[in-house]
Amino acid sequence: MRNDLPSLAAVRNLGILAHVDAGKTTVTERILYLTGATHRRGEVHDGTTVTDFDPQERDRGITIFAAAVSCAWDGHRINLIDTPGHVDFADEVERSLRVLDGAVAVFDAVAGVEPQSESVWRQADRHGVPRIAFVNKMDRAGADLDTAVASIRERLHPVPLVVQLPIGREAGFTGVVDLVRMRALVWADGGGPVVERPVPDELRQEALRRRGLLAEAVAERHPAALEEYCATGTLGAAGLTAALRDLTRGGDGVVVLCGSAYRDRGIEPLLDAVTAYLPSPLDVPPVRGTWEGGRQERAADPRAPFAALAFKVTATATGRLTYLRVYSGTIGKGEAVWDAVTRTAERVGRVLRVRADRHTPLERAVAGDIVAVTGLKSARAGTTLCAPDAPLVLEPPVTAEPVVSVAVGARRPGDAARLAPLLAQLAEEDPSLTVRTDPETGQTVLSGMGELHLEVAVEKLRRTRGLDLAVGRPRVAHRETVVRGVTGAVYRHVKQDGGAGQFAHVVLDVEPLEGGAGTTGFAFRSTVTGGRVPQEYVRAVEAGCRDALADGPLGGHPVTGLRVTLTDGATHPKDSSELAFRTAGRLGLRQALRGCAMALLEPVAEVTVTVPEDAVGGVLGDLAARRARVTGQETHGGTAVVTATVPLAELFGYATRLRGRTRGRGTFTARPAGYAPAPAATAPAR
């Protein structure tokens, strides 16, 4: 297997990240076309793209589901995931980033950093994913690279290292000056290959000035580059490339390129930058896992024991597909793997190289690969698959908590029995969807990340399964919090019904967390001294308190934003146990909460509304009617941008209302912003 190792250096696992409509799917399509993976250019507006293959994606003109594709460029294999840009599908981005080594962040040259651009950038920050930036749509009216880079610097706070200078502006954009090698790259009208030329005379001085600024910025942050710069007063192409690669992979800088994907301009240098600057599986740290309390590491080595993380599960007409990132070892058709989460053995049916909805069989997948496999029955998104004789559990992707719910039911009696298993399958494919039965009404409740998220899920059941569904009005997920706490709440749990009894005595203080109304979270501490409550019972009390947070006294909503302190307690030499103290913690906190002043919290969203300047008055009035708190307003060239914090419940149907008020010219984006007190939320103790 030794000769497999060098090939890993030529693998790039990357994602395309952007705000909705920034052009990332078009960038992906042009990459596939230029690398020979497709033979015609797919267009979003024509519904002919490879990665947006789902009928709903083509109807809506947006990416909904993360799609994996593979292609080759300059001796490198690129495994690419086109991720959604709409906030409702941020969980798809989260699962993708968990298994990627690098990313290309796409920005609109006119709009710069938009709300979801910032969200996906922060997601990549949390995962430590190196990025390069591509400023797209340079041919649009109002496009400006410097303004877009300034917004990247100011809102995202990286060190942007701009390696190109545009040739021409707006509709006259025809190419770029490569500042690293000091050459012009020009594309002809109507497509065609890139042509390399000398730097135009009228741009030479500006190009030299910008290259000098680039060299200075790199030398300030890279020791080897600083030595060369001090010795020669500049950086050669080789030294600058090596330093840019190190800064990108270390997260100390972000290389910035520009182009127009729709006009086929700028994609070749973007691919060159992907292979030159973004890391291979050999360049990232070994993946870390745990097993039975011990920590383990697995390097990207085909000779190591097999370890892979499932990050996506889909049901297709030909069976169930499980998408894997292979971190170490190899896997082939018919081989046994160990599901470390359920601790069951599975057998791989086939191994497939993925190109959106098309698949090519492989004999084996090796460390560094992103592939799909068939035959797995128990694996879910977040499941670790490993060699049976070398078990470990990798950290799964974080699943966001649903914030919007609808009641769903079958209209036809014959569909009722089919609905429950199909909803379970839907939640299996998308972990950010949850399904539960309301104990009071008996209704089936589907919860997700937003109105569009739920609309897409319901429509999928209607289209692919032929269900006639009735859908209730969306409801938001409220929370309850403590406004004024209690001290010295005593609870004594005694149970004696033959045999060993149960005894636990606890005294609890309950208070709000620091941070004011809307603060979420839970904290627990013990100030018991003298061994009156042993440590193992303290942990049991905390577990019981966490159990009690599931339903609060106001309306049965989850409780958040409080601190519980165990101040005293007592035990019995025979009847005390962890179970008894867990029960005392649960029932004691529930009793204490009934003595607290409680408040109801509702989810809120940060909204950015973009409208013509003459429509601002009506939009502001409508936002006020929706209980919005306006946080900013700017005007640029006849277009107004209003930012506000709005209760999520008030945003249902807002898109239609906004289009009506602005004659179709207004748009808005929203992203979750936590919780805030609901109107008349403070309730007396019950």
Side-chain angles (χ1 to χ4, degrees):
M1 299 295 294
R2 187 66 187 177
N3 56 4
D4 285 333
L5 282 172
S7 65
L8 291 180
V11 174
R12 299 291 183 271
N13 294 317
L14 69 135
I16 307 293
L17 312 175
H19 182 89
V20 65
D21 287 337
K24 58 184 170 39
T25 297
T26 303
V27 169
T28 303
E29 291 297 319
R30 296 306 185 263
I31 288 175
L32 295 177
Y33 178 74
L34 280 171
T35 57
T38 59
H39 301 292
R40 62 189 296 270
R41 300 174 179 86
E43 303 294 355
V44 173
H45 56 273
D46 292 335
T48 57
T49 58
V50 171
T51 53
D52 287 355
F53 58 86
D54 187 88
Q56 290 200 70
E57 293 179 310
R58 294 184 171 180
D59 290 349
R60 299 174 188 272
I62 62 171
T63 300
I64 295 173
F65 309 107
V69 292
S70 291
C71 55
W73 179 259
D74 192 26
H76 292 73
R77 185 173 76 250
I78 298 175
N79 298 318
L80 187 152
I81 297 180
D82 179 23
T83 65
H86 195 284
V87 65
D88 280 17
F89 308 103
D91 206 58
E92 288 272 331
V93 182
E94 186 73 19
R95 293 196 298 275
S96 299
L97 283 170
R98 174 63 183 82
V99 299
L100 294 173
D101 300 327
V104 175
V106 180
F107 299 93
D108 188 311
V110 178
V113 175
E114 298 172 272
Q116 191 61 10
S117 311
E118 191 169 349
S119 295
V120 296
W121 190 274
R122 301 301 176 214
Q123 285 178 286
D125 279 342
R126 289 198 302 272
H127 288 279
V129 174
R131 279 141 282 169
I132 58 178
F134 181 71
V135 179
N136 192 28
K137 302 187 179 183
M138 289 294 297
D139 59 319
R140 284 186 58 197
D144 186 89
L145 177 62
D146 292 339
T147 302
V149 171
S151 73
I152 292 172
R153 181 186 294 108
E154 293 165 6
R155 296 187 59 178
L156 305 181
H157 311 295
V159 177
L161 303 169
V162 184
V163 298
Q164 292 178 340
L165 171 66
I167 299 176
R169 289 181 58 84
E170 301 178 346
F173 172 73
T174 58
V176 297
V177 174
D178 176 1
L179 299 178
V180 176
R181 293 176 176 81
M182 287 304 290
R183 56 179 180 168
L185 303 174
V186 180
W187 290 267
D189 290 336
V194 62
V195 177
E196 183 177 338
R197 296 176 180 170
V199 178
D201 291 339
E202 64 273 16
L203 292 177
R204 177 164 291 278
Q205 289 302 316
E206 180 63 13
L208 289 172
R209 184 184 73 84
R210 293 190 179 227
R211 193 188 193 283
L213 293 174
L214 173 63
E216 288 179 11
V218 169
E220 287 177 3
R221 294 164 178 84
H222 192 277
L226 179 60
E227 289 184 15
E228 181 181 347
Y229 188 82
C230 291
T232 65
T234 186
L235 292 177
L240 184 54
T241 299
L244 288 170
R245 177 168 54 247
D246 292 343
L247 293 175
T248 300
R249 295 178 182 180
D252 300 311
V254 175
V255 170
V256 181
L257 303 96
C258 63
S260 170
Y262 182 68
R263 303 293 181 192
D264 300 295
R265 295 168 186 169
I267 303 302
E268 293 97 332
L270 175 61
L271 283 165
D272 290 338
V274 164
T275 59
Y277 305 131
L278 291 180
S280 74
L282 295 176
D283 299 317
V284 297
V287 67
R288 295 179 178 178
T290 60
W291 184 254
E292 295 183 346
R295 298 190 64 83
Q296 300 183 31
E297 289 188 351
R298 296 281 173 84
D301 185 347
R303 302 164 302 173
F306 173 71
L309 184 69
F311 66 94
K312 186 177 177 69
V313 175
T314 61
T316 68
T318 57
R320 191 171 182 270
L321 282 182
T322 305
Y323 291 77
L324 305 178
R325 163 64 191 267
V326 182
Y327 284 101
S328 65
T330 67
I331 187 66
K333 176 180 178 180
E335 294 187 2
V337 296
W338 178 257
D339 183 332
V341 177
T342 62
R343 302 198 175 200
T344 58
E346 296 261 41
R347 190 165 297 277
V348 173
R350 294 185 298 159
V351 181
L352 305 170
R353 179 78 67 204
V354 182
R355 201 190 79 189
D357 58 341
R358 301 179 185 179
H359 314 99
T360 304
L362 292 175
E363 285 299 318
R364 304 190 69 77
V366 302
D369 267 334
I370 292 179
V371 295
V373 298
T374 64
L376 303 185
K377 298 176 182 178
S378 65
R380 304 288 186 266
T383 292
T384 300
L385 299 173
C386 55
D389 58 349
L392 86 162
V393 176
L394 303 175
E395 182 182 354
V398 176
T399 300
E401 186 177 356
V403 294
V404 180
S405 301
V406 292
V408 294
R411 294 183 187 276
R412 298 190 295 253
D415 288 340
R418 300 172 55 210
L419 180 59
L422 290 176
L423 284 172
Q425 184 184 84
L426 202 65
E428 176 185 311
E429 295 183 13
D430 184 353
S432 60
L433 289 170
T434 62
V435 182
R436 64 179 176 86
T437 300
D438 190 310
E440 296 184 3
T441 65
Q443 290 180 309
T444 299
V445 178
L446 180 65
S447 303
M449 300 306 300
E451 193 175 7
L452 179 60
H453 189 205
L454 295 178
E455 187 180 319
V456 166
V458 170
E459 185 63 22
K460 185 174 183 179
L461 290 179
R462 286 172 172 159
R463 290 192 183 195
T464 62
R465 304 300 182 184
L467 294 181
D468 186 9
L469 297 177
V471 181
R473 174 178 168 78
R475 297 181 300 173
V476 298
H478 287 87
R479 295 289 182 269
E480 298 178 25
T481 192
V482 174
V483 176
R484 186 178 66 254
V486 296
T487 59
V490 178
Y491 189 84
R492 187 179 181 88
H493 175 64
V494 181
K495 184 177 182 182
Q496 190 74 49
D497 53 4
Q502 292 186 25
F503 178 89
H505 178 89
V506 297
V507 181
L508 303 175
D509 288 352
V510 182
E511 60 184 328
L513 279 179
E514 295 85 355
T519 302
T520 58
F522 171 71
F524 180 89
R525 64 184 177 183
S526 171
T527 59
V528 178
T529 59
R532 292 177 60 80
V533 181
Q535 189 60 39
E536 62 268 24
Y537 294 167
V538 171
R539 289 193 294 267
V541 174
E542 179 179 359
C545 289
R546 292 186 182 276
D547 294 340
L549 300 178
D551 47 77
L554 291 183
H557 307 291
V559 182
T560 189
L562 71 160
R563 173 182 285 106
V564 176
T565 305
L566 176 64
T567 61
D568 200 359
T571 62
H572 186 278
K574 291 184 178 180
D575 293 344
S576 289
S577 64
E578 291 187 24
L579 176 60
F581 272 89
R582 182 164 186 161
T583 303
R586 182 180 75 254
L587 299 179
L589 180 55
R590 284 182 177 175
Q591 176 179 286
L593 289 175
R594 288 193 288 270
C596 296
M598 303 292 294
L600 193 67
L601 301 177
E602 61 180 346
V604 295
E606 288 184 7
V607 175
T608 302
V609 186
T610 304
V611 295
E613 193 172 2
D614 57 7
V616 170
V619 168
L620 290 175
D622 189 42
L623 286 173
R626 295 174 186 270
R627 298 189 285 121
R629 180 172 59 86
V630 176
T631 56
Q633 181 178 336
E634 298 179 357
T635 303
H636 304 285
T639 298
V641 179
V642 179
T643 56
T645 302
V646 188
L648 192 61
E650 301 290 348
L651 288 178
F652 297 133
Y654 182 59
T656 302
R657 184 66 176 268
L658 180 64
R659 284 194 293 268
R661 283 188 172 275
T662 61
R663 298 181 181 179
R665 297 177 295 167
T667 61
F668 86 100
T669 59
R671 60 176 178 173
Y675 287 83
T682 303
R686 296 201 305 179

